[in-house]
Amino acid sequence: MSFFSRHRILLPVISLAVLLAATFYMQPRAMSYFGLNLLFNLAVPIALATIAQMMIIMVNDIDLSVGAFVSLVACITATYLNDSPMIGILMLVALIVTYAAMGAVIDALELPAIVVTLGMSFVWGGLALFILPSPGGASPGWLRTLMTVKPPFMPMAVVASILIAIVTHLLIIRSGFGTVLRGVGGNSRALTRAGLSVTRLKAWAYGLAGLFGVLAGMALVGLTTAADANIALRYTLLSIAGVILGGGEFTGGKVSPTGAVIGALTLTLAASFLSFLRLSPDWQIGSQGAILILVLTARLIFSRKGAAT
């Protein structure tokens, strides 16, 4: 086993450090509190959406509805949660429960998660359009205040990302509950022989994904102060890329919460870096993909070298 395989967090850290150094070289004024705040302004919702996707990948599934789900949460937050808080809270709780139920149904009926979540993306998108047919709404005052707090030394986006990484690491990597959940992706048959219900565990994993998806939508509205039914559609691919960039794998329950957050930060920074290069928006999407491919290629090369030795 290679050094990078044993310490899968190193490659995401190096990738972020190299991209950050290149950004500072291109734009030295970004090397400040205000500059970092601008660079990572939207990192928190992307990080939360990436953690949501990680919960699904952790149990060997993939979720193609994360972006539409976050958009729906954003629409509810900018309307019901702002105008009628109790109704808004009940709607968000119902979404989390629905996500958990979706995971249970997928496992109980042995349905392909990629197909079910793709279908649910249209459901979430339709509900978002029903709630908010045109861009608008408003962020609750308390949420806007929370997302624009200016802590000392580091911007809110960086502080929040560190907190997300710590909390999810303790939950998924250090706790017994997280170990069992990872076991669903690693060896579900062993869990069944141990008397545990894989269906119930998948429901928990999907429920946690729903929770982090709700937090992502709320954080996004807190930053943008308004919502749109299509505001977070790109989060589906970004979240998958963030998990894989952070050292996660599609099978075996191999995930890294800290790496996933770093992956989300890297993708957020990549967008800013490409803007500094004055690339057109059409080229920026392709360039972000190229950055991801380069990092994954490096990981594959190191893994194969480790396997050969």
Side-chain angles (χ1 to χ4, degrees), residues 93-237:
V93 171
L95 287 180
I96 296 173
V97 173
T98 302
Y99 235 75
M102 180 172 67
V105 170
I106 287 173
D107 184 75
L109 301 182
E110 298 182 354
L111 300 173
I114 193 171
V115 175
V116 175
T117 55
L118 178 61
M120 288 303 296
S121 69
F122 296 107
V123 175
W124 305 137
L127 289 173
L129 281 172
F130 178 77
I131 292 172
L132 200 61
S134 59
S139 171
W142 61 268
L143 183 59
R144 177 62 178 167
T145 301
L146 177 64
M147 295 306 301
T148 55
V149 167
K150 294 182 179 179
F153 308 116
M154 290 186 292
M156 178 61 179
V158 177
V159 173
S161 297
I162 293 173
L163 290 176
I164 293 168
I166 291 173
V167 170
T168 51
H169 177 82
L170 293 175
L171 175 63
I172 301 302
I173 304 299
R174 305 298 296 179
S175 73
F177 176 67
T179 302
V180 172
L181 284 182
R182 284 186 287 119
V184 174
N187 193 340
S188 59
R189 291 183 179 179
L191 295 178
T192 301
R193 288 195 296 269
L196 297 173
S197 171
V198 174
T199 299
R200 184 177 298 175
L201 291 172
K202 273 206 172 184
W204 272 106
Y206 273 76
L208 286 171
L211 172 61
F212 282 100
V214 165
L215 294 176
M218 293 176 65
L220 183 57
V221 173
L223 292 169
T224 60
T225 71
D228 176 12
N230 300 315
I231 193 171
L233 292 185
R234 67 191 185 98
Y235 280 20
T236 297
L237 295 180

Side-chain angles (χ1 to χ4, degrees), residues 45-57 62-68 70 99 213 216 232-248 250 256 259-261 263-264 267 292:
I46 295 176
L48 289 167
T50 301
I51 292 296
Q53 184 70 252
M54 187 199 73
M55 297 296 177
I56 308 298
I57 291 178
I62 191 168
D63 188 357
L64 296 183
S65 69
V66 167
V70 173
Y99 235 75
L233 292 185
R234 67 191 185 98
Y235 280 20
T236 297
L237 295 180
L238 282 177
S239 63
I240 296 172
V243 174
I244 303 305
L245 183 61
F250 285 116
S256 171
V261 173
L267 293 172
L292 176 62

Side-chain angles (χ1 to χ4, degrees), residues 68-106:
F69 182 78
V70 173
S71 297
L72 172 58
V73 172
C75 292
I76 293 174
T77 302
T79 53
Y80 288 97
L81 191 62
N82 184 46
D83 303 329
S84 305
M86 286 306 301
I87 296 177
I89 291 172
L90 289 175
M91 293 176 72
L92 295 178
V93 171
L95 287 180
I96 296 173
V97 173
T98 302
Y99 235 75
M102 180 172 67
V105 170
I106 287 173

